[in-house]
């Protein structure tokens, strides 16, 4: 068989590039499907994933940027987070995120019992599923406390009894799906479940 011409080689290179992009897109769709399945398992009935919702990780200049900003309050710290998973894998991040760590929304979760007393009692915790990075871990006698963050904010959880200190430290820098509780007139934030997505903050 004769050698390919330069034009044929260029066309093959272009097709390989397109194929590579399609394979990456396919992998993202597979990941999104797995994420959806996991999110349905970790979410509560009142937290079911909507069919469509505004993108919680807008990039300045996006068409949807302005209205997404207003919906979620102040815009995320884009300059500090722009090279992170939340923007380099926005398709997956948007599919995964059920709630964000914006202080206003965390405060709203803490006030669920006050504004919706028929929904829960003052002793209950309202749990929300967040997509966040484990930024730091603090050892306590009852288990490690996790400092979790996303482009909107951060919080420190109660000690997590089902994780060892070593397991928690191994999660530093990882993107996790984590169910965190909030309660009216309390700064307590227990962790119900945690799932390592397999992604790192910078990738």
């Amino acid at each position: 068989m004769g050698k390919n011409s330069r034009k044929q080689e260029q066309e093959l290179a272009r097709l390989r590039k397109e194929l590579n992009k399609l394979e990456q897109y396919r992998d993202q769709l597979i990941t999104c499907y797995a994420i959806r399945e996991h999110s349905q398992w970790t979410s509560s009935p009142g937290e079911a994933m909507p069919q469509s919702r505004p993108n919680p990780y807008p990039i300045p200049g996006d068409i949807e940027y302005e209205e997404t900003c207003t919906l979620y309050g102040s815009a995320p710290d884009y300059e500090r987070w722009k090279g992170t998973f939340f923007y380099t894998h926005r398709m997956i991040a948007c599919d995964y995120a059920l709630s964000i760590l914006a202080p206003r929304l965390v405060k709203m979760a803490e006030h669920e019992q006050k504004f919706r007393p028929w929904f829960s009692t003052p002793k209950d915790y309202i749990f929300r599923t967040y997509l966040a990075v484990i930024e730091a871990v603090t050892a306590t006698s009852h288990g490690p406390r996790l400092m979790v963050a996303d482009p909107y904010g951060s919080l420190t959880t109660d000690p997590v009894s089902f994780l060892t200190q070593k397991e928690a430290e191994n999660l530093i820098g990882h993107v996790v799906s984590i169910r965190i509780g909030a309660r009216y007139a309390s700064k307590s934030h227990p962790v119900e479940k945690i799932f390592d997505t397999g992604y790192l903050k910078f990738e």
Side-chain angles (χ1 to χ4, degrees):
M1 183 181 283
K3 192 176 178 181
N4 291 332
S5 67
R6 182 172 178 176
K7 189 174 180 180
Q8 288 172 323
E9 287 295 336
Q10 287 174 338
E11 180 65 11
L12 282 171
R14 186 187 66 79
L15 290 171
R16 285 191 195 101
K17 193 173 179 180
E18 281 187 15
L19 181 60
N20 185 50
K21 282 183 181 177
L22 288 171
E23 286 173 343
Q24 287 178 0
Y25 184 65
R26 175 206 61 196
D27 292 344
Q28 283 192 334
L29 287 176
I30 291 169
T31 305
C32 286
Y33 178 77
I35 284 167
R36 228 169 236 284
E37 290 294 303
H38 170 74
S39 295
Q40 286 168 358
W41 173 72
T42 57
S43 60
S44 61
E47 200 187 11
M49 296 188 75
Q51 290 302 310
S52 63
R53 60 191 186 283
N55 172 10
Y57 307 109
I59 291 175
D62 277 0
I63 297 172
E64 68 207 315
Y65 180 60
E66 287 304 324
E67 50 182 82
T68 313
C69 260
T70 0
L71 180 66
Y72 286 97
S74 58
D77 187 355
Y78 178 67
E79 285 306 310
R80 191 167 76 86
W81 286 85
K82 65 181 177 183
T84 68
F85 164 85
F86 297 92
Y87 294 97
T88 58
H89 293 80
R90 276 207 306 164
M91 180 180 172
I92 294 172
C94 291
D95 213 50
Y96 223 137
L98 291 181
S99 192
I100 55 177
L101 290 168
R104 181 175 64 88
L105 297 185
V106 174
K107 185 60 68 178
M108 282 173 65
E110 291 173 5
H111 283 72
E112 282 284 355
Q113 292 93 347
K114 184 176 180 180
F115 296 115
R116 291 166 55 179
W118 63 89
F119 185 72
S120 60
T121 69
K123 291 184 178 178
D124 289 338
Y125 281 96
I126 300 297
F127 283 88
R128 295 283 181 264
T129 303
Y130 300 93
L131 185 66
V133 174
I134 306 292
E135 297 276 44
V137 171
T138 306
T140 77
S141 56
H142 300 291
R145 287 181 183 273
L146 310 177
M147 202 276 266
V148 297
D150 70 8
Y152 288 84
S154 64
L155 64 76
T156 300
T157 71
D158 290 359
V160 183
S161 59
F162 57 84
L163 282 181
T164 66
Q165 183 67 19
K166 183 66 176 173
E167 287 171 335
E169 287 173 356
N170 286 341
L171 287 174
I172 293 175
H174 286 232
V175 178
V176 299
S177 174
I178 184 168
R179 294 237 330 134
I180 302 174
R183 187 168 66 184
Y184 179 62
S186 171
K187 296 302 179 186
S188 179
H189 294 291
V191 175
E192 188 178 64
K193 293 174 182 173
I194 186 167
F195 173 73
D196 186 356
T197 67
Y199 288 95
L200 299 175
K201 180 179 180 178
F202 291 97
E203 77 168 60

